[in-house]
Amino acid sequence: MLEGAKSMGAGAATIALAGAAVGIGNVFSSLIHSVARNPSLAKQLFGYAILGFALTEAIASFALMMAFLILSVFRRKIQ
């Protein structure tokens, strides 16, 4: 029973990875639209896009870390 709960918890924690992928797509989609509207700001907008990418990727890294912690912390004791 503990193994099933552990797997469900890890699976629920990895759902955040899909959200992070959508967030990264939104960041670069907005970058492309912004540069298309105003090409002279491309360099500044690229810096903002990289910052947004890094923050979104940090959330994904935390979610993955939580999934691994859930899988590794709750171990069955050998009797």
Side-chain angles (χ1 to χ4, degrees):
M1 179 144 165
L2 182 62
E3 289 294 320
K6 183 170 63 168
S7 297
M8 287 174 55
T14 57
I15 291 174
L17 297 176
V22 170
I24 290 170
N26 283 339
V27 165
F28 286 108
S29 170
S30 297
L31 172 67
I32 291 170
H33 286 216
S34 300
V35 170
R37 284 176 170 251
N38 195 350
S40 64
L41 290 177
K43 197 171 200 174
Q44 183 180 6
L45 291 173
F46 185 73
Y48 291 146
I50 293 299
L51 177 64
F53 168 76
L55 294 175
T56 307
E57 190 65 29
I59 293 171
S61 298
F62 291 143
L64 191 61
M65 179 183 64
M66 291 307 295
F68 285 143
L69 281 173
I70 289 170
L71 287 175
S72 66
V73 169
F74 299 111
R75 294 184 182 215
R76 271 179 48 188
K77 294 181 181 179
I78 299 173
Q79 296 175 356

